[in-house]
Amino acid sequence: LKSLSPVTLLKPQGQFLKHFFLACVLLVEACTCPVCFGHLETPMTLECGYVCCQRCLDSLWKEPLAEGVLCPQCSILSEKDSTVHHVQLDRIVSKMKKLEPRLRAILKLNPRIKKFQVDVTLDVDTAHSHLAISPDLRSVRYAGSAQRGSSGAERFDSPCVLGSPRLESGRSYWEVDVGTSREWDVGVCADAASRRGPLQLSTEHSFWTVGLRLGKIFAACTEPTTELRLLPRLRRLGILLDAELGVLTFCDVADGGHIFTFTGVTARPLRPFFSPANTLPDDRGILRICPVVWVAQDSPREPPMHTEH
Ligand SMILES: [Zn+2]
Ligand SMILES: [Zn+2]
């Protein structure tokens, strides 16, 4: 199955296997507890539909009366007695556990993904005035003071910057080094996303990003937010956009491990998005776009993707 990893495949099977890949993503997500990030053990459903392990319910007890369970996602209170064992999901989880090693292998990004690399650089015209951009246009950090004028229709009011090129079609892959910074957001946004006022990072506002807060809260900007398992070793993110499928996948470059996949990424064109640490006084972490490294091609018929500006 590992050899069927969708990102390694050429057409015509590619389309089917990309959907298969998505199904695997959804299956693994559905079987993961949002509280402990382990497999759902005796999955229990709250009144609002939130599901977590039975043992994890304890951490949700509402204090101090402990009469109900407070959903961490929507804050709706469920009566303790009204939580229901999700029998069907329980069965799926037990089957999934047996398949898991193979599912993880499918979700792992293959090094051959590099054939879809795009040469991303930072677009200074979009950069907030307090962001320092390196001369090679690949690194950004929050400088804390004005580096350029704050006017310009393309400029963000918040400390972030977009990458070029605009991404319209095909598959695009790039890598971002987040270093040891404890606060950052990285991903894509619609070129048309609002740049005025406070930044509202959510899929509803046409941003598809993952980010770290205080060095310990790692989340995807879904609506509501999806908290992700913290990866302390995470230094370099691989980002794969499949514009045909409307899918954006994040992985840990160190081991190819799958981090998160957004579906329904339908806005066009899209732009790579970067927001370095800017609220922590002792964190002036740099976000750096990793240089493109071409790998040997398996198939001369599928050249590196060309991008349009
Ligand atoms: Zn749990
Ligand atoms: Zn809820």
Side-chain angles (χ1 to χ4, degrees):
L1 267 174
K2 190 168 184 176
S3 62
L4 296 182
S5 182
V7 294
T8 71
L9 277 175
L10 309 179
K11 288 170 183 173
Q13 311 98 304
Q15 205 59 19
F16 164 74
L17 281 143
K18 281 192 285 183
H19 285 101
F20 180 63
F21 167 79
L22 261 189
C24 294
V25 167
L26 294 173
L27 181 59
V28 169
E29 266 172 26
C31 294
T32 302
C33 170
V35 177
C36 65
F37 299 113
H39 295 125
L40 282 163
E41 300 287 348
T42 320
M44 302 297 288
T45 311
L46 307 192
E47 285 176 44
C48 62
Y50 184 84
V51 180
C52 69
C53 312
Q54 190 169 38
R55 58 160 192 254
C56 289
L57 274 180
D58 289 338
S59 63
L60 304 179
W61 291 143
K62 183 179 176 258
E63 300 291 330
L65 297 175
E67 282 179 344
V69 185
L70 193 63
C71 170
Q73 212 154 58
C74 68
S75 299
I76 288 177
L77 196 64
S78 298
E79 290 301 314
K80 213 167 174 177
D81 299 339
S82 67
T83 60
V84 181
H85 178 207
H86 200 318
V87 181
Q88 195 185 5
L89 187 54
D90 212 350
R91 282 198 208 109
I92 294 172
V93 174
S94 11
K95 292 205 173 100
M96 204 282 289
K97 276 186 192 163
K98 287 177 201 140
L99 283 173
E100 186 164 36
R102 290 197 281 177
L103 284 174
R104 295 268 171 217
I106 290 165
L107 295 184
K108 217 165 202 182
L109 286 191
N110 191 296
R112 283 150 74 188
I113 190 70
K114 293 203 179 218
K115 75 172 117 187
F116 299 111
Q117 279 178 116
V118 284
D119 193 14
V120 174
T121 53
L122 298 168
D123 177 358
V124 180
D125 290 343
T126 66
H128 180 264
S129 60
H130 284 33
L131 293 185
I133 310 277
S134 65
D136 69 356
L137 304 179
R138 295 193 194 277
S139 298
V140 57
R141 67 179 173 83
Y142 185 70
S145 59
Q147 308 291 300
R148 66 191 71 78
S150 57
S151 60
E154 293 190 63
R155 213 172 280 306
F156 274 87
D157 288 345
S158 301
C160 52
V161 58
L162 300 184
S164 292
R166 289 174 171 79
L167 306 169
E168 304 255 17
S169 58
R171 279 181 265 183
S172 312
Y173 177 76
W174 64 101
E175 294 178 357
V176 180
D177 196 324
V178 296
T180 54
S181 180
R182 292 176 294 131
E183 181 184 71
W184 46 264
D185 294 288
V186 169
V188 302
C189 71
D191 196 26
S194 170
R195 301 174 194 194
R196 301 283 80 90
L199 198 58
Q200 291 182 292
L201 284 185
S202 79
T203 49
E204 271 185 9
H205 293 93
S206 302
F207 290 87
W208 294 268
T209 60
V210 297
L212 185 65
R213 292 289 175 278
L214 301 170
K216 59 185 178 191
I217 303 163
F218 186 37
C221 76
T222 47
E223 191 64 45
T225 303
T226 303
E227 202 172 324
L228 304 171
R229 186 199 297 266
L230 188 64
L231 304 166
R233 66 179 189 289
L234 179 63
R235 292 286 180 275
R236 194 182 274 209
L237 282 166
I239 304 167
L240 174 67
L241 171 71
D242 186 319
E244 278 13 284
L245 269 187
V247 168
L248 181 74
T249 293
F250 294 85
C251 67
D252 181 350
V253 172
D255 62 2
H258 177 258
I259 294 174
F260 189 75
T261 293
F262 285 97
T263 55
V265 186
T266 50
R268 299 289 178 274
L270 290 160
R271 305 284 299 269
F273 173 90
F274 309 85
S275 180
N278 56 78
T279 68
L280 306 173
D282 61 335
D283 189 343
R284 288 283 179 265
I286 297 173
L287 295 180
R288 178 159 181 78
I289 303 163
C290 306
V292 168
V293 180
W294 297 117
V295 291
Q297 299 294 304
D298 306 302
S299 164
R301 284 169 299 153
E302 198 156 318
M305 205 188 77
H306 296 286
T307 54
E308 49 292 309
H309 289 255

